[in-house]
């Protein structure tokens, strides 16, 4: 059956539109492309079973929210089995370098990116959601379960640190 | 008023995140605040730099296989939705029922997701997490942000018919694994262990649960129908466990595969039929009151020089889990042996898969041995396993160099640990089933240990018109790929089904030994659309029935005698002395219509001491299997009795396989006495 035929239209166009950004997003959280892909696949499977289907303006927000929760769930479980890293779970502070697949595609790590990689993970996450995924403060607040003003503060702080580092370089 | 550079409002304004009123107010104030305007400029500059840089990060997106899974799921949902609409039109009073049904569908979808998650959790990522000692639990479906949907567990009705049991066993360092056992809720998966890098300990071998066939009363079930099975993997796997001083997991023992590991000296066919059929009936060694019938098939032999041209595509798993010496290196040695036998009529291609898949050797004539061997040498293991994409690629390669009238076959060499892409067993099986229609057959060669996925591999070979062998040693590789090359490669009949009708005047009850996952419905026998097993050149297939003669007591089935039904009227032929009639159906390898063969069998009343050597040997192997499975039907069998019977039936044993069996029984005895 042609996936573009009637009735499955919206589901399939959501896959085409968001599979890449979501994989990127989940890879950030999990530090591993393969597991991120699994999470994204599950996210779409879950979307397919949604009835009613989320209204058009909320599809992206829905996808990012579910994808994030699934990814965090997996990460939490992994870390729970490893008592040494217990304290790192909730603060989401991770100095893990990005996976090599993503590093390679960057021609050279610019100052800005270096500065970004140095930020606390919660600032990195909202900055990526804003500038890489084009999500509004409101959407980011829904996705991350933070208040809108909290999102504003994190983005502001993050940008400020980056500006400072770029200026000093 | 001046803005402090620490005011997040500045950033919000710069990024266009303020509402109309707030924005207007900000603009008014900024008009008089040069520093503020400068901040805004800087924020915008850094924001655009960030956006620019972040755009360069490429995303792989989903794998081909995952996308295909999603597409398939969408198509099937549309079908279900149509069914629902039809129900809806039946009237309002049905709405309540429809709601229940809709919830049912939701549950099913979640159950499928659960299956995916389990597979996902099995992403045995020694390669990805090397050196990171962590153990993953299986993610549950609970606690998600999306809401909606049913609980994430339940029947796995669409993917596998039997629950899969994951065995955790200590002391299995071979796969390089470790980690702790994690119990999975939902009751479906009884236990599960995770293998992770860096620690020795558990393995994640998966075997489908098997329940021994029960005795069936002839009056209730006069027909016994099953598909033949020439697979031998279980024997080699059992041998591997025993040689490591471990009792094999019960469900890894498939009795028919133990029995069929050995070649029996059945007369080859003389007429036009592709195989001959031999039935032998005598006493049952493990129950004095019972009879044992052996149905033996022998495929036509094809001399090595008469072998039809072969178009072979090797599909090699080169993922990280294939690194150990008994996996990829063994695959390479095995293939070198096979390549040495190829001729200019044959063609070979090699496709590999790990996280990605690719064709490392396009279809190449068999005499270009140098080219083939050198591409073999270059193979290295590393990365995750996307079996689905590889299978697609291999079949495409086989179809593009298809030899009419020749052997066209994909040979999959793997430990079955698919962990990327189409990794649910059901999806892979469907993919293979689809591909089998192209006329390309499949051989599955299982390698390695520790994370060996037996149930998955057997399922693939079954659906792909193929055979399945487990290769644990170079000697086994020689047996499968060289000695039995024509049998492994040349299919002489396909969809071979056996149906036995028992005569109630002679037989009270019967039990098919083994073949638990090959049982067919009685209607399937005449249904040419129903897939069944293949038989290769020179192959022998053996099936054993334990029969309770008429008049002998059968253990109660627990069902009361029927109150309203008349006992079944026996047909006139039941007066005959015939115990049973063995019927076979088969198709030519390229045919679509089956041919029927029938053989009536009469009991000559022999005791098993008078039976042929092959009969005794096959019976001893079956008894050994029942002991290993701790079958409720093992009767009086003991390992000593197995040894005695095997010794009597050993015969000339030119290749030494039967002697090896006797050694294995002794080994099992030593383990059991520990």
């Amino acid at each position: 059956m042609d996936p573009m035929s009637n009735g499955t239209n919206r589901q399939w166009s959501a896959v085409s539109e968001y599979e890449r950004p979501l994989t990127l997003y989940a890879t950030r959280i999990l530090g591993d492309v393969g597991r991120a892909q699994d999470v994204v696949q599950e996210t779409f499977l879950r979307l397919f079973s949604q009835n009613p289907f989320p209204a058009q303006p909320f599809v992206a927000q829905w996808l990012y929210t579910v994808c994030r929760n699934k990814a965090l769930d997996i990460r939490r479980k992994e870390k729970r089995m490893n008592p040494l890293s217990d304290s790192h779970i909730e603060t989401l502070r991770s100095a893990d370098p990005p996976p090599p697949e993503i590093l390679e595609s960057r021609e050279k790590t610019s100052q800005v990116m270096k500065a970004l990689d140095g930020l606390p993970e919660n600032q990195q996450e909202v900055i990526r959601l804003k500038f890489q995924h084009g999500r509004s403060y409101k959407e980011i607040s829904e996705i991350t379960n933070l208040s809108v003003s909290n999102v504003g503060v994190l983005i502001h702080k993050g940008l400020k640190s980056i500006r400072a580092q770029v200026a000093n370089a | 008023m001046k803005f402090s550079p620490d005011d997040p409002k500045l950033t919000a304004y710069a990024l266009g995140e303020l509402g109309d009123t707030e924005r207007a107010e900000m603009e008014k104030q900024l008009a008089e605040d040069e520093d503020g305007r400068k901040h805004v400029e800087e924020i915008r500059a850094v924001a655009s730099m960030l956006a620019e840089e972040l755009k360069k990060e490429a995303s792989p997106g989903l794998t081909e296989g995952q996308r295909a899974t999603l597409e398939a799921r969408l198509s099937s949902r549309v079908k279900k939705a149509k069914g629902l609409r039809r129900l809806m039109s039946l009237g309002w009073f049905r709405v309540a029922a429809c709601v229940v049904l809709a919830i049912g569908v939701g549950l099913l979808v979640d159950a499928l997701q659960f299956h995916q998650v389990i597979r996902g959790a099995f992403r045995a990522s020694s390669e990805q997490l090397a050196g990171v000692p962590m153990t993953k639990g299986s993610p549950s479906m609970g606690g998600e942000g999306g809401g909606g949907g049913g609980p994430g567990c339940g029947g796995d009705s669409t993917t596998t018919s039997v629950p899969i049991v994951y065995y955790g066993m200590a002391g299995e360092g071979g796969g390089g694994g470790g980690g702790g056992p994690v119990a999975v809720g939902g009751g479906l998966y009884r236990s599960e262990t995770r293998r992770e890098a860096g620690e020795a300990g558990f393995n994640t071998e998966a075997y489908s649960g098997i329940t021994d066939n029960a005795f069936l009363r002839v009056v209730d079930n006069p027909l016994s129908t099953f598909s033949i099975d020439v697979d031998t993997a279980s024997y080699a796997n059992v041998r591997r466990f025993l040689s490591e001083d471990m009792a094999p997991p019960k469900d890894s023992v498939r009795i028919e595969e133990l029995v069929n590991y050995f070649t029996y000296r059945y007369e080859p066919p003389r007429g036009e039929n592709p195989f001959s059929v031999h039935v032998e009936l005598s006493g049952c060694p493990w129950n004095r009151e019972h009879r044992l019938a052996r149905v033996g098939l022998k495929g036509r032999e094809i001399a090595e020089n008469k072998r039809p041209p072969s178009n072979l595509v090797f599909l090699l798993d080169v993922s990280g889990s294939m690194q150990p010496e008994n996996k990829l290196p063994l695959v390479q040695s095995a293939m070198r042996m096979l390549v040495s036998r190829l001729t200019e009529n044959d063609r070979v291609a090699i496709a590999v898969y790990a996280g990605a898949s690719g064709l490392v050797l396009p279809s190449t004539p068999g005499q270009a041995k140098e080219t083939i061997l050198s591409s073999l040498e270059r193979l290295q293991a590393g990365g995750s396993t996307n079996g689905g994409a590889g299978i697609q690629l291999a079949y495409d390669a086989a179809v593009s160099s298809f030899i009419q009238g020749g052997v066209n076959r994909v040979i999959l060499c793997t430990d079955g640990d698919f962990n990327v892409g189409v990794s649910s067993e059901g999806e892979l099986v469907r993919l293979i089933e689809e591909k089998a229609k192209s006329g390309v057959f499949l051989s599955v060669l299982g390698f390695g240990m520790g994370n060996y996925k037996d149930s998955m591999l057997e399922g693939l070979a079954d659906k792909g018109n193929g055979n399945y062998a487990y290769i644990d040693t170079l000697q086994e590789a020689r047996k499968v790929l060289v000695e039995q090359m024509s049998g492994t490669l040349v299919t002489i009949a396909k969809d071979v089904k056996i149906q036995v009708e028992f005569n109630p005047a002679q037989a009270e009850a019967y039990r098919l030994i083994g073949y638990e996952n090959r049982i067919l419905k009685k209607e399937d026998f005449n249904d040419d659309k129903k897939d069944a097993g293949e038989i290769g050149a020179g192959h022998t297939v053996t099936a054993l029935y334990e029969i309770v003669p008429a008049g002998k007591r059968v253990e109660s089935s627990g069902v009361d005698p029927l109150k309203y039904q008349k006992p079944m009227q026996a047909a006139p032929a039941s007066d005959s002395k015939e115990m049973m009639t063995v019927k076979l159906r088969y198709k030519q390898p390229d045919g679509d219509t089956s041919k029927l063969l029938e053989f009536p069998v009469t009991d000559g009343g022999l005791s098993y001491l008078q039976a042929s050597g092959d009969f005794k040997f096959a019976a001893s192997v079956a008894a050994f299997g029942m002991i290993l499975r701790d079958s409720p039907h093992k009767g009086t069998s003991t390992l000593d009795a197995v040894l005695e019977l095997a010794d009597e039936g050993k015969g000339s044993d030119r290749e030494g396989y039967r002697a090896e069996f006797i050694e294995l029984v002794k080994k099992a005895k030593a383990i059991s006495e520990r």
Side-chain angles (χ1 to χ4, degrees), chain B residues 22 26 79 192 326 357 390 403 485 664:
Chain B
E22 274 186 298
M26 284 279 297
K79 276 178 220 139
E192 174 191 341
N326 62 350
S357 47
I403 302 177
M485 177 158 156
L664 274 191

Side-chain angles (χ1 to χ4, degrees), chain B residues 259-463:
Chain B
V259 173
N260 284 327
Y261 181 84
F262 302 94
T263 300
Y264 302 97
R265 284 162 294 243
Y266 305 142
E267 277 291 300
R270 295 224 190 88
E272 49 171 323
N273 291 331
F275 53 84
S276 59
V277 181
H278 307 269
V279 187
E280 189 173 344
L281 195 56
S282 82
C284 175
W286 51 85
N287 190 324
R288 281 196 320 188
E289 310 240 283
H290 293 177
R291 311 290 295 161
L292 190 65
R294 184 205 57 180
V295 179
L297 271 58
K298 167 82 177 175
R300 191 193 305 124
E301 280 169 339
I302 294 178
E304 175 59 24
N305 54 9
K306 295 266 177 60
R307 191 170 55 80
S310 303
N311 161 34
L312 307 179
V313 178
F314 282 92
L315 175 56
L316 308 181
D317 180 347
V318 293
S319 65
S321 61
M322 288 291 284
Q323 243 161 19
E325 201 52 33
N326 62 350
K327 294 191 182 178
L328 190 61
L330 185 57
V331 172
Q332 285 166 308
S333 318
M335 282 185 59
R336 262 179 242 123
M337 287 194 288
L338 178 69
V339 168
S340 69
R341 306 288 288 264
L342 296 177
T343 69
E344 67 217 11
N345 296 325
D346 304 314
R347 300 192 71 82
V348 181
I350 302 174
V352 297
Y353 66 91
S357 47
L359 205 58
V360 294
L361 179 74
S363 194
T364 305
Q367 85 272 30
K369 294 194 167 52
E370 286 298 304
T371 321
I372 301 171
L373 289 174
S374 72
S375 66
L376 258 179
E377 299 309 321
R378 283 197 300 271
L379 298 172
Q380 274 183 347
S384 53
T385 317
N386 185 344
I391 286 169
Q392 197 104 20
L393 185 76
Y395 273 99
D396 290 348
V399 168
S400 68
S401 43
F402 199 87
I403 302 177
Q404 281 300 338
V407 172
N408 297 281
R409 190 172 281 274
V410 168
I411 301 169
L412 170 62
C413 302
T414 180
D415 57 9
D417 194 14
F418 301 132
N419 53 21
V420 180
V422 187
S423 59
S424 98
E425 216 170 311
E427 297 294 343
L428 267 178
V429 165
R430 270 190 288 280
L431 176 67
I432 296 269
E433 218 166 3
E434 189 53 44
K435 295 292 177 189
K437 292 182 192 145
S438 61
V440 175
F441 289 71
L442 178 72
S443 286
V444 179
L445 305 181
F447 287 82
M449 58 174 92
N451 53 352
Y452 178 58
K453 298 289 183 281
D454 175 76
S455 52
M456 161 98 90
L457 297 182
E458 197 203 5
L460 293 186
D462 186 22
K463 294 298 173 194

Side-chain angles (χ1 to χ4, degrees), chain A residues 31-87:
Chain A
D32 168 55
V33 174
R35 278 178 304 160
Q37 287 171 325
D38 283 356
V39 162
V40 173
Q41 186 187 22
E42 283 159 34
T43 304
F44 283 120
L45 286 171
R46 195 171 177 96
L47 178 73
F48 295 171
S49 68
Q50 285 303 295
N51 195 8
F53 196 78
Q56 197 48 49
F58 302 111
V59 172
Q61 180 187 312
W62 188 97
L63 285 170
Y64 277 93
T65 309
V66 173
C67 177
R68 180 179 193 269
N69 287 333
K70 280 180 190 290
L72 286 179
D73 204 31
I74 286 180
R75 194 170 80 169
R76 210 173 291 130
K77 285 197 166 118
E78 281 173 3
K79 301 223 166 158
R80 191 186 300 147
M81 304 304 285
N82 180 6
L84 285 180
S85 54
D86 241 4
S87 55

Side-chain angles (χ1 to χ4, degrees), chain A residues 8-18 47 52-64 135 139:
Chain A
T8 59
N9 218 327
R10 285 195 302 170
Q11 280 101 325
W12 191 250
S13 59
V15 174
S16 320
E17 190 172 351
Y18 294 109
L47 178 73
F53 196 78
Q56 197 48 49
F58 302 111
V59 172
Q61 180 187 312
W62 188 97
L63 285 170
Y64 277 93
R135 300 294 124 210
E139 284 174 309

Side-chain angles (χ1 to χ4, degrees), chain A residues 64-124:
Chain A
Y64 277 93
T65 309
V66 173
C67 177
R68 180 179 193 269
N69 287 333
K70 280 180 190 290
L72 286 179
D73 204 31
I74 286 180
R75 194 170 80 169
R76 210 173 291 130
K77 285 197 166 118
E78 281 173 3
K79 301 223 166 158
R80 191 186 300 147
M81 304 304 285
N82 180 6
L84 285 180
S85 54
D86 241 4
S87 55
H88 297 277
I89 305 165
E90 296 304 333
T91 59
L92 303 187
R93 180 72 178 83
S94 149
D96 291 347
E101 290 91 332
I102 284 180
L103 257 186
E104 278 163 22
S105 67
R106 248 188 234 169
E107 286 162 14
K108 73 177 203 280
T109 314
S110 69
Q111 278 301 322
V112 193
M113 291 308 287
K114 233 181 260 170
L116 176 65
D117 288 341
L119 295 180
E121 189 179 329
N122 55 358
Q123 292 184 18
Q124 278 195 49

Side-chain angles (χ1 to χ4, degrees), chain A residues 119-154:
Chain A
L119 295 180
E121 189 179 329
N122 55 358
Q123 292 184 18
Q124 278 195 49
E125 186 185 18
V126 290
I127 285 178
R128 280 175 185 277
L129 281 170
K130 176 70 196 159
F131 299 107
Q132 190 165 31
H133 300 274
R135 300 294 124 210
S136 69
Y137 279 21
K138 179 84 187 63
E139 284 174 309
I140 297 172
S141 133
E142 296 288 342
I143 294 165
T144 57
N145 225 356
L146 299 166
S147 69
V148 176
S149 63
N150 221 329
V151 171
V153 170
L154 287 174

